[in-house]
Amino acid sequence: MRKVLIYGFGGIGKRHYESIVKKYLDIFIYVFDKDKETYKYLTDRDRTKCISDSREIKDLDIDLAILSIINKGKASIVEDLFENNKIKNLIIEKPLCQSLAELDLINSLAISKNIFVNFPYRYYPFWIEVKKLAKNLNFRIEVEGKSWGLGCNLWHFLDLHFFIFNEKIIEVDWREFSWIDSKREGFKEIYGKAAVKFETRRLILSQQNSHKSNSIIRLINEEDEKVLMEIEDFKITKNKLFKFKNVDIEIFQSELTSKYIHDIKSGNCLLPQVNHIHYNTACMMNSIILSSDLKLLKPKKNILIPIS
């Protein structure tokens, strides 16, 4: 029987669990969370073992581990998991880590390990179609809104841009930057606007109070600046690309994790591996450090970026 470890049983962890138990009968699941109250959400106790002490995660033979915790201490947890267990594959939730030093550590492990990052947009039929469109049309992506979580969620669109265009970052220009309180205690969010210059394209990301919607995604023709498509809170509101009328824009995590397992086993997983996105991730992290008061701290490699 195959074995999966879900490390962290909060909202995302529960959805990973739900996806696996719905699809597979031949997978045994280890669930780790320090809060034993979370275990009341388990729906298949015969195939689940609950662990509340991380010291018990030792000498396990795991086909897939999923790290679904807040963005704190991830690198050391990843290192411990591989050191103390036999793990064939690992999926980490975004953001990958809090510092450039942690990023380098995870990347060094990824040289010999299969470490994926959970960027589910790569599995959305809508964005797969946009990727095909990019072969013949010169357009850019802009994301803006009032409270879509710029600091936490910019990583989705950074990877999405890499998925669609396969380009490296040349420069990140934070035209505005300030920290605002996050809904998660001990963390911050970013208020402002970033223009990300890639090799041939641009990505514009902004969070400002002037917007009414939580999030608006636009595909803009670089030739005439006309909006090809506008998506507001995952609903198409403008569309000049008629082929997209019946394509799903959003798929829930509870429907995706089982697909990850299938595709990892077959060698066709669409999720990026850490060493593929290391460069762009490091560029963005560095830009955040240099654009904020974090740059006053030394050394830069060990500065913690307080986003969740």
Side-chain angles (χ1 to χ4, degrees), residues 112-170:
S112 59
K113 311 291 185 183
N114 291 328
I115 306 179
F116 302 89
V117 187
N118 187 23
F119 287 122
Y121 289 3
R122 288 175 175 243
Y123 271 82
Y124 290 14
F126 175 82
W127 293 114
I128 291 173
E129 290 300 318
V130 170
K131 179 178 174 67
K132 296 175 184 176
L133 183 73
K135 295 178 181 179
N136 302 307
L137 185 61
N138 184 18
F139 64 91
R140 71 177 181 272
I141 300 172
E142 294 191 0
V143 187
E144 61 182 8
K146 183 176 181 179
S147 57
W148 62 280
L150 175 57
C152 178
N153 292 310
L154 67 83
W155 311 100
H156 278 302
F157 294 100
L158 193 66
D159 178 72
L160 181 63
H161 195 282
F162 186 62
F163 172 64
I164 294 172
F165 302 115
N166 193 30
E167 292 188 352
K168 291 183 177 180
I169 290 177
I170 303 298

Side-chain angles (χ1 to χ4, degrees), residues 173-223:
D173 177 17
W174 284 95
R175 299 171 185 175
E176 298 176 41
F177 189 103
S178 61
W179 294 112
I180 56 177
D181 289 334
S182 170
K183 61 182 180 181
R184 289 179 175 167
E185 186 178 354
F187 292 94
K188 295 289 185 180
E189 258 299 344
I190 296 173
Y191 173 91
K193 184 174 183 178
V196 188
K197 181 182 178 182
F198 291 83
E199 292 166 89
T200 67
R201 313 266 182 162
R202 292 179 295 158
L203 172 66
I204 309 297
L205 306 166
S206 69
Q207 177 168 326
Q208 298 172 324
N209 286 330
S210 59
H211 297 289
K212 295 180 180 180
S213 177
N214 284 335
S215 66
I216 301 174
I217 305 169
R218 295 187 180 95
L219 308 185
I220 299 177
N221 193 326
E222 290 279 25
E223 305 298 330

Side-chain angles (χ1 to χ4, degrees), residues 261-273:
I261 292 173
H262 175 273
D263 290 353
I264 288 172
K265 184 179 180 181
S266 64
N268 296 311
C269 185
L270 297 179
L271 297 180
Q273 295 206 34

